[in-house]
Amino acid sequence: MVVLLNKAKNVLLDVLFPPLCLNCRENLDDRNNLICQNCLGLIQFNNTLFCPVCRARLAEGKRICHYDAGYFLAAVGNYDDPVLQNLIHYFKYKSFKNLAPVLGEILIKYIENCKLKIENFIIVPVPLHKKRQRERGFNQAKLLAEIIAKNLNLELKDCLKRVKNTKPQSQLKDGEKRQSNVFNCFSAANPDSIKGKKIILVDDVFTSGATMNEAVKILKSNGAKRIIALVLAKA
């Protein structure tokens, strides 16, 4: 009886409120998808890593050009990609938590495109301050990290803690203000789990790099061996 009632409810919802693609607003066959296959196919995927300082593409096997950066940047696409930007906006600012599986699959496809050898890496999400997480209801980076860890059979570790409730970086346009805003905003939650590890550090976007740089600073100071910062989009 419960199953029949749920089916009837879903049919009624589809009639009264047809599921629409978040990007193109066309009808969807399944309201759980949130975005149509045509729009997903429009995303321009990168197939290399990048230098986080100058954003230069790093061909397979090439070492980073700015050695003092301390990490590699792995970005699915660019933030000016309209489909990617739209999905991130709904996910991060409109609280579409159920977009996480779609975005997680996008990240996994990019990892496969780059042929990254990540068998011995651990997955670490960039944390939110506990107050910000209560306001949003979830940490978008952690949701993505969980999907990646599960699908690639890697261990997820909450190695970082956000100790300062900083202003949202999106509200600060000046690079120096962004840097000072997040200065010393992280600490190591479990230093023993960092030492000697190869880490995939997960966040949603990479704009000025200030947040990621601060997170990398803590991981490196606690003995992280190699770090790849994985994001959906870079500016």
Side-chain angles (χ1 to χ4, degrees):
M1 179 63 72
V2 174
V3 173
L4 289 175
L5 287 174
N6 284 334
K7 286 184 177 179
K9 175 185 174 183
N10 289 335
V11 169
L12 184 61
L13 283 173
D14 287 345
V15 172
L16 296 177
F17 307 101
L20 302 177
C21 171
L22 289 178
N23 188 65
C24 69
R25 311 306 295 170
E26 293 292 330
N27 289 335
L28 290 170
D29 294 330
D30 184 350
R31 67 172 53 251
N32 293 319
N33 289 337
L34 297 178
I35 182 169
C36 68
Q37 290 301 312
N38 287 336
C39 287
L40 279 176
L42 295 175
I43 296 174
Q44 298 296 308
F45 279 79
N46 293 317
N47 56 13
T48 66
L49 298 178
F50 297 85
C51 171
V53 178
C54 66
R55 317 296 168 93
R57 294 169 62 88
L58 302 175
E60 187 176 356
K62 180 181 176 181
R63 292 181 61 82
I64 195 164
C65 48
H66 286 81
Y67 297 100
D68 57 342
Y71 66 104
F72 295 86
L73 173 62
V76 171
N78 297 325
Y79 197 64
D80 59 5
D81 183 311
V83 179
L84 207 48
Q85 185 181 117
N86 208 8
L87 290 177
I88 293 169
H89 179 76
Y90 274 103
F91 183 49
K92 188 172 182 177
Y93 300 112
K94 298 294 184 180
S95 296
F96 274 65
K97 183 179 179 180
N98 49 350
L99 265 174
V102 175
L103 296 173
E105 286 297 324
I106 288 172
L107 286 166
I108 291 167
K109 180 179 177 181
Y110 165 72
I111 290 171
E112 293 171 348
N113 286 350
C114 291
K115 300 177 181 178
L116 295 180
K117 297 178 181 179
I118 57 173
E119 292 83 1
N120 297 316
F121 280 73
I122 63 170
I123 307 295
V124 177
V126 172
L128 286 178
H129 189 271
K130 58 184 179 181
K131 182 178 180 181
R132 181 76 57 78
Q133 186 161 333
R134 282 198 303 268
E135 292 170 352
R136 183 172 291 167
F138 61 94
N139 175 7
Q140 70 278 4
K142 178 115 182 238
L143 291 181
L144 297 174
E146 289 172 341
I147 292 167
I148 295 165
K150 181 179 179 179
N151 281 271
L152 299 181
N153 197 28
L154 298 173
E155 188 176 9
L156 187 146
K157 291 277 191 179
D158 286 310
C159 298
L160 292 171
K161 180 169 66 173
R162 197 148 193 157
V163 293
K164 288 171 59 178
N165 187 22
T166 56
K167 294 179 180 178
Q169 291 287 79
S170 59
Q171 295 179 7
L172 304 172
K173 304 304 179 184
D174 182 81
E176 290 186 4
K177 288 182 179 179
R178 283 173 174 258
Q179 187 172 344
S180 62
N181 183 50
V182 295
F183 181 70
N184 286 341
C185 70
F186 298 112
S187 68
N190 188 357
D192 290 340
S193 65
I194 299 172
K195 188 175 182 181
K197 297 295 185 180
K198 293 189 287 186
I199 294 172
I200 294 178
L201 182 60
V202 180
D203 206 357
D204 50 3
V205 296
F206 184 96
T207 308
S208 68
T211 301
M212 201 67 81
N213 291 343
E214 284 295 315
V216 167
K217 180 178 76 175
I218 297 301
L219 294 174
K220 281 288 186 178
S221 67
N222 282 276
K225 185 177 179 181
R226 187 170 189 255
I227 300 173
I228 297 175
L230 177 64
V231 297
L232 289 162
K234 64 178 178 63

